[in-house]
């Protein structure tokens, strides 16, 4: 259970995680490993990248369960291996090919042992971007499927014996995917992801997402509510609504409610009425889409957690323009001021890129100043990675790797300091914690604070799955510790 939320984001080697969550592995397998019954086929899914991939891996696991696949905790001996990949930075994409080298050895070993075949599938954003190349470069791969085709997985497995050309599915019909996936879910814990929006029309000049996930698509409200109900009926207390641009959400309204399309704020207010659901979050939002309705909802809706990930990327207006972010730093500052006015205890997090083409030392200092001014509870920061086919790749003024490394280190020093100070500021406060499991010794429990930090405290295992109050007494960079408060 602990592993599930750890998979929040992929951190490649050139980045340092400075968020408030538990230490991040570069990837994670999906699903609690179980010992499969006889006759079940063994499934191993390895997930790279963002929360949307974590959600998609869970859906793949759910789609494959009725056709006899049960998750195991490693690729060895698996009947099916799925690599759910990320294309966001070069290192993320290259990991796929090195992992495939290891998988090839295991596949040969299984065959030689007379233990049957291992079906190898590459899913996710690398599959979408480089499907043909994967088929060519890695003969070990049986299936390639893009992010909008997971509902076809059982059908595709049946195609494995056919020609390689028929084993590549990278169409872009997001609606078909969501219509085909069942509303019924099989959650593994008490906090779950729910994708409500996919794709991106914003075309930031550094980013591959518009090419790998396609155009913006919002799921209809009814479909989302049905899925949320299924999660809550199985004990889920906290739902994080996901989208590449989640606050650009505009979904068809429920028939009985009339109206046309609902925005994210209206969806949140509606979901918040669901009995049994205690916490709502959303990610990732874009500063341009933080409308007044959503800002006031942060003040009015107690189930919406006081934590907002709102990426700034860079502090210099010149660089923001070159990135095609569509706002200035002053506009970002204004949005933050309005959110803080609506919800004074909100904690903020952000993404930053250093070394975008043309970034001078002075531009970079604007980023440091922006961080100092806004103050973040956590952040992700990355060196700019050239992505073929994006406008940024062709820009003049590419920054040297050693300059990028030096800037990243300076930025991460201040972000880590802010994160530490934020966590320490919680000492003495009593926070609601959703208990997710046991940890460290017999009476140790582990849960999530409103600001997402893993929180450790002593208590009995029957509290798992409930919301408790914990008085915070210790704070580290990534986690908190304290004492259970009765009543
Ligand atoms: N939709 C979100 C971001 C999704 S990608 C938004 O607009 O904020 C997650 C993060 O990866 C981005 O915020 C950015 O900081 C980083 N990223 C994307 N492309 C990158 C690249 N080419 N090099 C380095 N970091 C990148
Ligand atoms: Fe990428 Fe920009 Fe879209 Fe975010 S808004 S997914 S950074 S193109
Ligand atoms: Fe990576 Fe695709 Fe997510 S490129 S960050 S897995 S949308």
């Amino acid at each position: 259970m602990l592993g599930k939320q750890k998979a929040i984001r992929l951190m490649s080697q050139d980045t340092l995680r400075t968020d408030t969550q538990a230490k991040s592995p570069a990837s994670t397998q999906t699903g609690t490993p179980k010992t499969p019954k006889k006759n079940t086929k063994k499934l191993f899914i390895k997930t790279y990248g963002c929360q949307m991939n974590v959600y998609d891996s869970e859906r793949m696991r759910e789609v494959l369960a009725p056709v006899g696949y049960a998750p195991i905790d490693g690729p060895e001996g698996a009947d099916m291996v799925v690599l759910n990949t990320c294309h966001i930075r070069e290192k993320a994409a290259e990991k796929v090919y090195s992992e495939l080298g290891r998988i090839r050895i295991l596949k040969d070993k299984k065959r030689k042992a007379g233990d049957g075949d291992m079906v190898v599938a590459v899913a996710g954003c690398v599959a979408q971007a480089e499907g043909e190349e994967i088929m060519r470069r890695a003969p070990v791969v049986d299936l390639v499927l893009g992010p909008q085709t997971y509902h076809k997985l059982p059908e595709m497995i049946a195609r494995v014996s056919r020609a390689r050309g028929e084993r590549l599915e990278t169409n872009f019909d997001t609606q078909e995917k969501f219509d085909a996936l069942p509303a019924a879910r099989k959650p593994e814990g008490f906090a779950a992801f729910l994708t409500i929006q996919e794709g991106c029309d914003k075309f930031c000049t550094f980013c591959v997402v518009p090419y790998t996930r396609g155009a913006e698509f919002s799921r209809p409200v009814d479909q989302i509510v049905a899925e949320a109900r299924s999660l809550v009926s199985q004990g889920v207390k906290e739902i994080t609504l996901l989208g590449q641009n989640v606050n650009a959400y505009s979904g068809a309204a429920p028939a009985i409610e009339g109206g046309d399309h609902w925005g994210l704020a209206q969806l949140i207010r509606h979901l918040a009425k669901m009995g049994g659901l205690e916490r709502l979050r959303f990610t990732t939002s874009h500063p341009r889409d933080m409308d007044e309705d959503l800002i006031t909802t942060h003040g009015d809706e107690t189930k919406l957690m006081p934590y907002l990930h709102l990426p700034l990327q860079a502090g210099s207006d010149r660089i923001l323009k070159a990135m095609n972010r569509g706002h200035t730093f002053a506009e970002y500052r204004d949005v933050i001021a309005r959110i803080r006015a609506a919800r004074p205890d909100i904690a903020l997090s952000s993404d930053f890129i250093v070394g975008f083409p043309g970034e001078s030392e002075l531009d970079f200092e604007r980023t440091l100043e922006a961080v100092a001014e806004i103050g973040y509870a956590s952040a992700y920061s990355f060196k700019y990675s050239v992505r073929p086919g994006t406008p940024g790749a062709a820009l003049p003024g590419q920054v040297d790797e050693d300059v990028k490394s030096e800037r990243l280190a300076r930025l991460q020093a201040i972000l880590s300091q802010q994160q530490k100070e934020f966590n320490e500021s919680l000492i003495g406060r009593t926070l609601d914690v959703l208990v997710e499991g046991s940890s460290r010794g017999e009476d140790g429990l582990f849960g999530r604070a409103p600001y997402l930090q893993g929180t450790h405290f002593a208590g009995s295992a029957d509290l798992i799955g409930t919301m408790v109050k914990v008085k915070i007494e210790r704070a580290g960079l990534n986690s908190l510790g304290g004492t259970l408060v009765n009543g």
Side-chain angles (χ1 to χ4, degrees):
M1 233 164 267
L2 299 185
K4 192 171 164 194
Q5 292 265 352
K6 282 193 202 166
I8 297 295
R9 284 275 178 101
L10 174 104
M11 298 282 103
S12 51
Q13 298 305 316
D14 59 348
T15 64
L16 178 124
R17 184 189 186 86
T18 52
D19 69 325
T20 51
Q21 288 148 8
K23 273 182 246 107
S24 162
S27 58
T28 179
Q29 80 271 3
T30 298
T32 308
K34 296 169 188 77
T35 314
K37 292 192 214 96
K38 267 205 171 133
N39 299 328
T40 54
K41 286 167 266 182
K42 288 174 265 173
L43 168 70
F44 175 66
I45 303 183
K46 186 160 183 171
T47 309
Y48 301 83
C50 64
Q51 297 99 322
M52 319 251 339
N53 265 11
V54 176
Y55 173 84
D56 284 340
S57 290
E58 283 175 21
R59 301 307 323 251
M60 283 192 259
R61 185 170 48 76
E62 289 166 2
V63 159
L64 289 173
V67 289
Y69 287 89
I72 57 169
D73 63 359
E76 183 134 20
D79 298 295
M80 169 119 196
V81 171
V82 181
L83 301 183
N84 194 9
T85 62
C86 174
H87 201 244
I88 202 84
R89 286 168 289 276
E90 190 183 353
K91 277 187 182 156
E94 276 305 314
K95 277 193 184 133
V96 180
Y97 292 101
S98 51
E99 186 64 25
L100 284 172
R102 284 191 287 273
I103 301 284
R104 188 172 54 78
I105 295 167
L106 295 175
K107 182 169 170 143
D108 287 348
K109 192 172 152 196
K110 185 170 158 76
R111 197 182 284 141
K112 280 189 195 127
D115 188 21
D117 197 16
M118 176 189 281
V119 176
V120 178
V122 176
C125 291
V126 181
Q128 188 66 46
E130 302 177 4
E132 306 269 354
E133 194 187 337
I134 294 169
M135 282 302 224
R136 221 179 26 249
R137 246 175 96 174
V140 65
V141 174
D142 298 297
L143 299 171
V144 170
L145 55 156
Q148 311 310 346
T149 65
Y150 299 148
H151 54 295
K152 296 188 182 163
L153 200 45
E155 174 208 326
M156 286 186 72
I157 294 172
R159 287 191 217 165
V160 167
S161 54
R162 297 203 220 144
R164 275 176 87 69
E166 289 179 54
R167 301 194 234 141
L168 176 86
E169 278 280 3
T170 47
N171 81 29
F172 254 143
D173 198 338
T174 317
Q175 179 162 356
E176 183 191 312
K177 165 172 122 176
F178 283 117
D179 287 349
L181 289 170
R185 297 283 310 275
K186 284 266 164 281
E188 294 263 329
F190 308 100
F193 291 137
L194 201 174
T195 294
I196 64 166
Q197 182 277 338
E198 270 210 56
C200 181
D201 298 336
K202 294 208 165 54
F203 290 92
C204 300
T205 51
F206 51 80
C207 184
V208 293
V209 171
Y211 312 95
T212 62
R213 293 273 174 168
E216 280 180 13
F217 168 80
S218 295
R219 297 177 70 187
V221 173
D222 282 339
Q223 216 179 62
I224 294 165
V225 171
E227 200 174 314
R229 247 193 222 114
S230 166
L231 291 167
V232 171
S233 72
Q234 294 170 84
V236 165
K237 299 260 173 11
E238 173 175 321
I239 292 180
T240 302
L241 305 173
L242 298 181
Q244 266 95 20
N245 280 281
V246 74
N247 55 344
Y249 177 80
S250 173
I256 49 156
E257 302 275 343
D260 185 2
H261 279 73
W262 284 9
L264 179 60
Q266 212 169 349
L267 179 69
I268 287 171
R269 289 196 296 268
H270 187 73
L271 289 172
K273 290 186 208 138
M274 195 175 284
L277 179 60
E278 299 194 34
R279 284 177 165 181
L280 280 162
R281 305 179 184 276
F282 61 87
T283 198
T284 293
S285 37
H286 194 291
R288 268 156 67 187
D289 296 317
M290 283 308 294
D291 64 21
E292 204 48 47
D293 198 13
L294 190 54
I295 291 173
T296 40
T297 301
H298 273 282
D300 299 343
E301 187 44 74
T302 49
K303 287 188 184 177
L304 184 59
M305 289 296 95
Y307 182 91
L308 178 67
H309 183 67
L310 197 64
L312 173 61
Q313 313 295 358
S316 149
D317 286 343
R318 210 171 64 81
I319 298 299
L320 285 171
K321 190 159 192 286
M323 287 177 163
N324 193 31
R325 289 294 287 177
H327 64 81
T328 60
F329 175 62
E331 284 161 343
Y332 181 89
R333 172 200 281 137
D334 176 61
V335 170
I336 298 291
R338 288 191 290 136
I339 297 165
R340 281 184 164 148
R343 181 83 202 225
D345 66 337
I346 200 142
L348 297 165
S349 79
S350 177
D351 294 340
F352 294 97
I353 295 177
V354 301
F356 186 78
E359 185 188 74
S360 67
E361 171 62 23
L362 278 177
D363 289 317
F364 172 65
E365 284 169 13
R366 297 283 94 84
T367 301
L368 296 179
E369 286 160 19
V371 171
E373 180 183 329
I374 303 289
Y376 291 98
S378 77
Y380 301 85
S381 43
F382 312 98
K383 291 196 272 186
Y384 171 68
S385 171
V386 177
R387 306 312 290 129
T390 60
L395 287 176
Q398 298 288 333
V399 177
D400 285 349
E401 274 311 297
D402 50 356
V403 175
K404 287 185 200 168
S405 300
E406 186 257 344
R407 288 182 188 164
L408 187 67
R410 283 157 70 199
L411 176 61
Q412 290 185 339
I414 165 167
L415 290 170
S416 297
Q417 184 59 28
Q418 288 191 346
Q419 181 168 326
K420 195 163 156 275
E421 284 168 10
F422 176 75
N423 286 353
E424 283 167 357
S425 76
L426 299 172
I427 292 176
R429 274 182 63 187
T430 298
L431 300 179
D432 288 328
V433 172
L434 174 58
V435 189
E436 294 189 358
S438 41
S439 72
R440 285 196 311 216
E442 281 163 25
D443 61 351
L445 292 179
F446 167 91
R448 290 277 157 198
Y451 307 109
L452 274 177
Q453 303 96 331
T455 306
H456 301 266
F457 56 98
S460 95
D462 54 14
L463 293 173
I464 293 171
T466 68
M467 199 72 79
V468 298
K469 292 199 182 298
V470 176
K471 180 151 192 234
I472 304 303
E473 287 152 353
R474 301 178 299 282
L477 187 60
N478 292 304
S479 63
L480 303 173
T483 307
L484 194 62
V485 177
N486 291 321

